[in-house]
Amino acid sequence: MREGLTALTAAVLALLIASPISHAQELPLQEFPLPRVTIDVGTAKNPRELSTAIQILLLITVLSLAPAFLIMMTSFTRIIVVLSFLRHGLATQQTPPNQVLAGLALFLTIFTMMPTWREVNDNAIKPYLDGRITQQEAFRNALAPLREFMLRQTREKDLALMVKLAGIPRPRNENDVPTYVLIPAFVISELKTAFQIGFLIFIPFLMIDMVVASVLMAMGMMMVPPVMVSLPFKILLFVLVDGWNLVVGSLIRGFH
């Protein structure tokens, strides 16, 4: 009985295996359709098509440069430069890492720019989405708070320099200052302020380096790097005075 079931099972399996093979030999092979991808540059039939293509190209270019514009028109430049000076003053090499400094600078930028961005949202983005103003009006309303912020942080000397280099008449008031002149003047002012803060940060750390170097030389330990000995004292001083609180607080108060 068992041998009969085994033979029957073997016969069924042989039939199932042979059936697809025989059908595959009888039926023609069906080709799998492959997609065809082409990139074609055609000829514009009218000037409107060419104008639309150029507008799309310009829009993609502006979107790719938008992060750089936003960074240079906000408080990010001053914050990241000051934090870099702080790390070099401590002589901790890559501690904190670049990602941490950039992330901290980004969130501090969001914190300091939030009133300006809230004004942009209330006066430009929301009315435009509701259909109450046109695109040109939304752009002017969004640019006004940013210009006010940059003018408040820009020195007159730097602004006068860029006006002179641009070769335009002397502006009668703040509204006459073109935006393309205001932005580089604002960046120069931010860099100068950041370097001034960095100099003040370096002074206590430099004093510690000088004291440690003098002590090592008096002890005849001229082969020992002073930076290696002064590093723990720098970190201890920075922690005791709550350095992060002082630096971040000074940076935030400088924009108000």
Side-chain angles (χ1 to χ4, degrees):
M1 183 67 179
R2 182 177 302 175
E3 295 177 356
L5 291 175
T6 303
L8 180 60
T9 302
V12 172
L13 290 176
L15 181 61
L16 291 176
I17 294 174
S19 179
I21 297 176
S22 61
H23 283 292
Q25 294 175 352
E26 295 175 0
L27 296 177
L29 295 176
Q30 296 181 357
E31 297 182 357
F32 183 77
L34 297 176
R36 182 169 61 93
V37 180
T38 60
I39 300 177
D40 187 17
V41 179
T43 304
K45 297 181 180 179
N46 51 65
R48 181 175 298 179
E49 294 182 358
L50 179 61
S51 176
T52 303
I54 294 177
Q55 290 178 4
I56 295 174
L57 178 61
L58 292 177
L59 178 61
I60 295 175
T61 304
V62 170
L63 291 177
S64 62
L65 297 177
F69 290 154
L70 292 177
I71 288 175
M72 302 306 292
M73 296 170 62
T74 59
S75 58
F76 183 85
T77 302
R78 183 192 302 186
I79 295 174
I80 192 64
V81 172
V82 170
L83 294 180
S84 299
F85 271 120
L86 175 61
R87 185 174 66 180
H88 284 83
L90 286 170
T92 53
Q93 301 300 325
Q94 295 297 322
T95 304
N98 293 330
Q99 293 83 353
V100 175
L101 291 184
L104 178 59
L106 179 61
F107 282 105
L108 290 178
T109 301
I110 295 174
F111 182 82
T112 56
M113 297 298 298
M114 186 55 66
T116 303
W117 290 342
R118 188 179 294 113
E119 188 175 352
V120 171
N121 183 52
D122 295 338
N123 298 335
I125 298 178
K126 283 186 177 180
Y128 177 70
L129 295 178
D130 295 339
R132 289 181 284 146
I133 59 176
T134 62
Q135 184 177 1
Q136 290 77 10
E137 293 175 343
F139 179 77
R140 288 195 298 267
N141 294 344
L143 189 60
L146 290 175
R147 284 176 53 88
E148 181 182 355
F149 171 80
M150 289 188 291
L151 285 168
R152 191 167 61 249
Q153 306 298 330
T154 305
R155 293 179 174 84
E156 294 184 2
K157 184 178 180 180
D158 297 329
L159 189 59
L161 172 64
M162 300 313 300
V163 169
K164 181 179 179 180
L165 294 177
I168 60 177
R170 181 177 180 179
R172 293 170 297 179
N173 50 44
E174 296 178 350
N175 296 328
D176 293 339
V177 179
T179 304
Y180 74 91
V181 174
L182 176 59
I183 294 177
F186 167 75
V187 174
I188 294 175
S189 297
E190 288 294 284
L191 289 175
K192 182 177 181 179
T193 304
F195 273 69
Q196 290 176 345
I197 299 174
F199 172 76
L200 296 177
I201 291 176
F202 260 93
I203 290 178
F205 299 137
L206 180 61
M207 294 178 61
I208 294 177
D209 286 334
M210 293 178 63
V211 170
V212 171
S214 300
V215 172
L216 291 178
M217 185 164 296
M219 296 175 61
M221 303 174 62
M222 292 178 293
M223 300 301 295
V224 179
V227 177
M228 183 181 300
V229 180
S230 63
L231 178 58
F233 295 99
K234 291 180 181 180
I235 296 176
L236 179 61
L237 174 65
F238 191 72
V239 172
L240 289 177
V241 300
D242 199 0
W244 288 111
N245 186 286
L246 293 176
V247 173
V248 172
S250 301
L251 283 172
I252 299 300
R253 284 190 291 268
F255 291 103
H256 297 293

